[in-house]
Amino acid sequence: MSDAPRQTALHGIYFKLSALVLFCTMDAMVKGLGGTYGSFQLMVFRSGVALLPVAVLIWHAGGLKVLRSNRPGLQALRVAIGFSSMFGFFYAFPRMPLVDAYAISFSAPLFMVALSVLILGEPVGWRRWTAVGVGFAGVLIMLDPWGIEFHAVSLIILAATFCYSLSTVMVRLLSRHDPDVVTLFWFALVCSLISLACAIPDWIWPPAMDWVWLLTLGLLGGFAQILITRAWRLAPAAVLAPFDYVSIVLAVAFGYLWFKEEPSWTVWYGLPLVMGSGLYILHRERVRARERKKSLIP
């Protein structure tokens, strides 16, 4: 994961897709464990255990001396927004069908594209806007607004999605000033401490097998956070945003196989639009990568 100039937005897309697989698995575990443990207790393991892979990155980067931020105020704001997003999702996943929660969270690409223009000043061409729009149309079809039962928790998912989108754009902004490891460390550390303080009053001591699940949850989240942070550094937020739609595949699979949640028939109509929007952006990045490579050949 070097900062060599040869790395492009295409690599960012691959990191993003890998992170989505890990995040979706973690979210399903949160839903499964949420019936026993409180949201804050799950967040303790999500953030605390994530410090282990982050510690390896710190060691390779040169030790604790690299953890000083050039933008501490911005880092603090990003931690607060990211913490709010994590709590919203961890609270909502055990309380509503996984596919429904994911469908609502897929409004994130629209938030990200708009925020990347306002905050980062990144150019967004008509092709990306079209891909995001087509993907979002697919999400609306899957959500089935004419037949789905509206959950009050849906508003929490929507708020958490906006915070996630804003946090994503802020990470890319921070990448201009701080190394990835700085952003990863402070987020994991502060979230761990705040979550622990909030979880202590209702703490439930896990049995042996649950320790395995909870530690695995934290490791999945930690590695996924490393991958997604690297992706945000390598590629513009507007390029990565449509690929959030791909995780609906795992949401449907986990919901059906693990929790016996039957997806609506509309899912199968909207899924091709969702997948197609992300694949089209990937195709465009491949074309642009080849064109950049040819331009460097004398």
Side-chain angles (χ1 to χ4, degrees):
M1 299 200 331
S2 67
D3 286 322
R6 63 185 177 82
Q7 298 230 337
T8 65
L10 188 58
H11 295 81
I13 291 173
Y14 293 140
F15 281 122
K16 175 68 177 281
L17 292 174
S18 300
L20 286 177
V21 173
L22 299 183
F23 272 134
C24 288
T25 306
M26 182 196 74
D27 291 341
M29 294 178 67
V30 168
K31 181 175 178 63
L33 294 167
T36 304
Y37 305 100
S39 302
F40 287 118
Q41 185 168 350
L42 294 176
M43 290 169 66
V44 171
F45 286 93
R46 159 65 180 89
S47 301
V49 179
L51 283 169
L52 296 177
V54 172
V56 176
L57 293 182
I58 294 172
W59 179 69
H60 280 289
L64 296 178
K65 62 183 179 181
V66 305
L67 296 179
R68 182 175 180 178
S69 173
N70 295 311
R71 294 291 188 275
L74 195 59
Q75 285 284 2
L77 182 59
R78 188 265 160 175
V79 169
I81 295 171
F83 181 86
S84 301
S85 174
M86 187 191 303
F87 174 75
F89 285 121
F90 275 45
Y91 178 85
F93 281 143
R95 292 169 172 83
M96 68 184 301
L98 193 63
V99 174
D100 293 0
Y102 263 71
I104 296 170
S105 73
F106 287 159
S107 58
L110 291 182
F111 289 136
M112 284 187 211
V113 170
L115 289 169
S116 66
V117 174
L118 295 174
I119 297 176
L120 303 177
E122 292 180 347
V124 178
W126 67 269
R127 289 185 178 88
R128 291 178 192 170
W129 278 115
T130 302
V132 170
V134 170
F136 189 64
V139 169
L140 290 179
I141 293 174
M142 288 187 291
L143 187 58
D144 188 15
W146 298 275
I148 197 171
E149 179 184 354
F150 182 79
H151 298 268
V153 190
S154 298
L155 295 178
I156 296 177
I157 285 285
L158 188 62
T161 299
F162 177 80
C163 289
Y164 164 75
S165 304
L166 181 55
S167 177
T168 299
V169 174
M170 290 185 68
V171 167
R172 182 154 177 83
L173 180 61
L174 281 165
S175 71
R176 300 174 180 176
H177 309 287
D178 291 333
D180 295 345
V181 69
V182 175
T183 301
L184 289 165
F185 172 78
W186 288 113
F187 179 74
L189 178 64
V190 176
C191 286
S192 299
L193 296 176
I194 297 176
S195 299
L196 180 60
C198 295
I200 287 176
D202 300 313
W203 185 272
I204 298 175
W205 194 257
M209 192 60 208
D210 280 7
W211 275 102
V212 175
W213 287 110
L214 290 166
L215 292 173
T216 301
L217 182 153
L219 288 174
L220 289 175
F223 283 113
Q225 194 67 49
I226 291 172
L227 291 172
I228 200 69
T229 301
R230 186 57 180 171
W232 291 330
R233 176 180 288 271
L234 291 173
V239 170
L240 295 177
F243 290 91
D244 282 328
Y245 293 138
V246 176
S247 55
I248 191 66
V249 178
L250 286 175
V252 171
F254 281 129
Y256 180 75
L257 298 175
W258 196 338
F259 306 107
K260 306 304 179 184
E261 297 172 350
E262 290 281 354
S264 168
W265 62 269
T266 55
V267 167
W268 308 117
Y269 284 89
L271 191 59
L273 296 178
V274 168
M275 299 277 301
S277 66
L279 292 175
Y280 176 75
I281 294 292
L282 177 59
H283 166 71
R284 288 295 306 168
E285 286 305 310
R286 285 180 177 275
V287 171
R288 294 177 64 187
R290 285 197 298 267
E291 291 174 349
R292 285 193 294 267
K293 184 176 180 179
K294 289 180 180 179
S295 67
L296 295 175
I297 300 177

